[in-house]
Amino acid sequence: MAAQPQVQVIARLPGLFWCSCNHCQDMPSDDERLCCGFGVNDCLSRHPTLENIVDPVALGLQRALWQELMVVEAHADEPGAHNRQCRHTAYRCYVLWQHGRLGAGNRRVIPSCVVTRIRQLFPSPNGHYTGYRPGRFV
């Protein structure tokens, strides 16, 4: 008699029927309730490339390059400014990694698991986050 194939049962987080990786958190809008679609062990929020993206040294270099190219001034005096800049830089790097260069106003929703991971690494001091904002022409 042949051995029966093993079926992996993933225990979903309560209320997060849309999450398959078990690393997502609930988000404030339906647009943001997006999972990477992978399993627990293959989640994009734990991918080695993302680990390189969220490295503080790499983010510092990316942020400096962005500020240089876009002639953007950093407002480091505000509380939490460093973490906010690191979060936004990590979001931009993630989108570039997954979707390539997007034009102005062309935005993509970042999976909740990835957003959660970035927010864990670079938290807001008051727990307030901007969240996803669709492009102007949507």
Side-chain angles (χ1 to χ4, degrees):
M1 182 182 224
Q4 294 293 327
Q6 295 290 324
V7 176
Q8 181 183 9
V9 177
I10 298 174
R12 303 245 190 255
L13 297 171
L16 299 182
F17 61 89
W18 48 269
C19 174
S20 62
C21 71
N22 232 22
H23 292 287
C24 293
Q25 288 187 353
D26 195 20
M27 301 303 268
S29 73
D30 286 340
D31 286 342
E32 295 171 284
R33 291 183 183 109
L34 175 71
C35 179
C36 68
F38 294 101
V40 175
N41 296 326
D42 299 319
C43 178
L44 284 180
S45 70
R46 304 309 191 257
H47 193 280
T49 300
L50 186 73
E51 292 302 318
N52 290 330
I53 287 172
V54 298
D55 175 76
V57 174
L59 285 176
L61 291 170
Q62 290 290 336
R63 196 172 66 247
L65 179 62
W66 174 262
Q67 290 168 347
E68 181 75 21
L69 290 173
M70 301 305 287
V71 192
V72 175
E73 266 187 60
H75 300 287
D77 299 341
E78 302 168 19
H82 175 76
N83 277 2
R84 185 185 70 251
Q85 292 169 358
C86 285
R87 277 193 313 276
H88 291 189
T89 302
Y91 298 149
R92 279 195 304 271
C93 289
Y94 169 83
V95 169
L96 183 62
W97 170 46
Q98 287 297 303
H99 304 288
R101 184 182 178 281
L102 302 177
N106 186 1
R107 299 177 180 216
R108 295 286 197 278
V109 177
I110 298 173
S112 171
C113 47
V114 174
V115 170
T116 298
R117 176 93 170 117
I118 292 170
R119 287 178 180 177
Q120 287 170 344
L121 294 169
F122 306 103
S124 167
N126 58 13
H128 293 252
Y129 300 97
T130 303
Y132 174 73
R133 291 183 297 199
R136 293 179 295 197
F137 304 113
V138 174

